[in-house]
Amino acid sequence: MLPPGAAAAAPRTPTSDFNGDGYADLAVGVPDGTVGGKAKAGYVNVVWGGPRSVGAHGSIRVTQATPEVPGTPEAGDRFGASVELTDLNGDGIAELLAGVPGEDVTDRGTDAGMVVVVGGSRNGPGPGSTVLTGPSPAAAYGKSVAAADLTGTADKNKEIVIGGTDKVVARVIQGEDSMVTTVLAAPMGGRAPVLAVGDFDSDGVADLAVAYWTAGNPHTQSHVRLWKWDPDQSAMANFWNTDNAGVTALAAGDFDGDGHDDLALGECREIADENIDDPCGPEERAEGGGIHLHYGAPADGSFGSRAQTLNQDTPGVAGDAEDGDRFGAALAVADINRDGRDDLVAGAPGEAIGSKTKAGAAWLLYGGAKGLLDAGGAARSATWNQDTPGVPGVAEAGDSFGAALATGRYNAGGVPDVTAGSPGENASLGAAWLLPNGSARGSAAFSPRTLDLPYLSTAHKYGKPLSSR
């Protein structure tokens, strides 16, 4: 029975269907993978969904040696450092976006970076092209990538947002033309800017969320900012900020089922004293990593005025908050229980399982009428790790289970599944776990070995990043 006021959501057409068979597929970035003897040239593994779900129907390996893909594999390119598997033009078949932040670009220098797009098709990868290259040495375009229809035009084309060193830019589609606009340029401490998309101002058009931070004098900065397309200025306009919050992950979803997108800030912690009180909620909820939520509201400028914070000390969340757990370091969203409210999947790759440090775990946090917490401040959740009954494998130190997460309808059912990456598995060869219907029952693991991918004894860290929807 559905909760009062909730309506079962209709199954969504997968937008990560790379081969057009009606099932969501999964993209696994392997930027540390060796290609043609070139260490850390990197590749992307597209794992097929199907009647028996992801991991049971084979996969393909996409590299810069793939004929359709621009460039040549070179040591340190890190192809696949960021991935996005999504339908860019509305034709029902997904395209693959892959970041290559270590790419050397002629006349632009070492590690200028780039992002490439590879078309999907029923017969394997379609034509590929370069989306954008970095303008200068160490620009490292492709550290992060996201896509959404940010302009709200009727052509169904999505804009592509690219994160690099101290910069975020967007390639904007305008009719048959495109333009590149800088979203922001600011010190980001050498980290990849964190990107997410959602309709945060409730105007029916997707917006962009960006998180970035530095630490140390004299230029400590830490921000989460929201941007929307301004057609009059032909540029992205900043319309909401929260400062002093260092964030590792962002995710958008409607966790209270009110029809307005909310924003989850993962592994949120206060970075520096900027005279802003508790940007990540009560300080005690930041222990071990906290998740801070800003809730959406009608288009009246009140986004984020209602907030919630939770961690492993929150009632209803299994475990204990401990330094280094990194609760919320990875986030994914889906309506797992089909009640019309989105649920949040959160990873804690630093979680100790018994005496096994950094073995890692993941949680499914259910949405409700008040969001992820009820009126009494309690959550409803389930948790998994490699010692959970029904989950293959054994929790071992350094596995980092839950370091990356994705959701998608990979099989014939209408309930989304969860995939969790474990890049430290098997001496950092890495692996990923399928949790069908958000449950340990019937779960399975897959890795470069089980998928017959070429691999050496070097650490490939398979399982981070992941992309599906």
Side-chain angles (χ1 to χ4, degrees):
M1 180 179 295
L2 294 176
R12 299 174 182 174
T13 301
T15 61
S16 61
D17 181 5
F18 192 63
N19 61 355
D21 65 356
Y23 297 98
D25 303 313
L26 175 72
V28 184
V30 193
D32 287 344
T34 298
V35 178
K38 307 294 185 180
K40 297 186 179 182
Y43 66 90
V44 176
N45 184 212
V46 180
V47 188
W48 304 125
R52 292 181 293 141
S53 206
V54 70
H57 299 275
S59 69
I60 59 170
R61 184 173 182 252
V62 180
T63 79
Q64 286 186 284
T66 303
E68 295 83 2
V69 178
T72 301
E74 298 169 314
D77 278 351
R78 306 197 77 241
F79 182 90
S82 60
V83 291
E84 181 83 355
L85 196 58
T86 188
D87 184 359
L88 290 173
N89 56 13
D91 66 355
I93 297 179
E95 286 75 37
L96 171 67
L97 292 168
V100 199
E103 180 79 7
D104 299 340
V105 180
T106 303
D107 299 329
R108 300 196 176 191
T110 303
D111 295 344
M114 72 176 184
V115 170
V116 303
V117 58
V118 182
S121 76
R122 294 186 180 275
N123 300 315
S129 61
T130 301
V131 176
L132 198 64
T133 56
S136 59
Y141 275 25
K143 283 186 174 183
S144 51
V145 67
D149 181 5
L150 299 172
T151 62
T153 54
D155 58 12
K156 296 184 179 180
N157 289 321
K158 293 181 179 178
E159 278 63 52
I160 298 171
V161 183
I162 296 168
T165 301
D166 299 335
K167 199 169 187 179
V168 176
V169 300
R171 194 195 74 171
V172 178
I173 306 297
Q174 294 185 314
E176 295 183 355
D177 299 322
S178 66
M179 60 174 287
V180 176
T181 181
T182 298
V183 179
L184 77 126
M188 298 179 186
R191 303 172 188 85
V194 183
L195 308 175
V197 292
D199 182 9
F200 304 114
D201 61 357
S202 301
D203 66 352
V205 180
D207 308 308
L208 173 67
V210 180
Y212 61 99
W213 57 278
T214 65
N217 293 323
H219 299 299
T220 296
Q221 298 190 48
S222 43
H223 303 283
V224 177
R225 294 184 169 182
L226 301 184
W227 305 77
K228 64 183 298 180
W229 179 250
D230 183 340
D232 294 330
Q233 299 296 321
S234 292
M236 298 293 290
N238 175 222
F239 69 93
W240 185 89
N241 303 305
T242 182
D243 299 323
N244 205 20
V247 172
T248 304
L250 294 172
D254 183 7
F255 305 115
D256 54 6
D258 67 353
H260 304 291
D261 278 352
D262 315 311
L263 181 64
L265 282 57
E267 199 186 5
C268 191
R269 64 275 200 202
E270 188 169 344
I271 294 298
D273 181 10
E274 294 177 354
N275 299 316
I276 299 171
D277 294 332
D278 299 334
C280 296
E283 289 187 15
E284 62 270 20
R285 292 301 185 200
E287 179 77 12
I291 297 172
H292 191 57
L293 297 118
H294 290 280
Y295 285 91
D300 59 3
S302 59
F303 174 84
S305 59
R306 187 172 76 87
Q308 293 178 336
T309 308
L310 65 150
N311 68 355
Q312 287 189 71
D313 287 341
T314 298
V317 180
D320 297 302
E322 299 169 313
D323 285 343
D325 284 347
R326 304 196 63 211
F327 183 75
L331 299 174
V333 174
D335 182 6
I336 300 292
N337 61 358
R338 311 295 292 149
D339 68 350
R341 299 174 178 126
D342 281 328
D343 309 309
L344 183 68
V345 188
E351 175 79 359
I353 306 301
S355 63
K356 309 300 175 60
T357 59
K358 298 182 181 179
W363 282 256
L364 172 59
L365 304 161
Y366 292 101
K370 299 291 184 180
L372 296 188
L373 301 179
D374 62 20
R380 291 186 302 125
S381 70
T383 186
W384 321 284
N385 61 69
Q386 286 191 68
D387 282 351
T388 300
V391 176
V394 176
E396 299 170 309
D399 280 349
S400 297
F401 183 92
L405 298 163
T407 58
R409 291 194 299 111
Y410 304 120
N411 57 27
V415 180
D417 305 316
V418 175
T419 50
S422 181
E425 179 75 8
N426 292 330
S428 294
L429 175 63
W433 268 254
L434 167 71
L435 298 155
N437 305 334
S439 169
R441 183 178 180 181
S443 60
F446 52 94
S447 71
R449 290 174 179 168
T450 66
L451 294 170
D452 293 325
L453 298 172
Y455 66 90
L456 305 173
S457 59
T458 54
H460 281 202
K461 300 180 183 178
Y462 184 95
K464 183 183 181 182
L466 303 174
S467 174
S468 186
R469 62 178 69 186

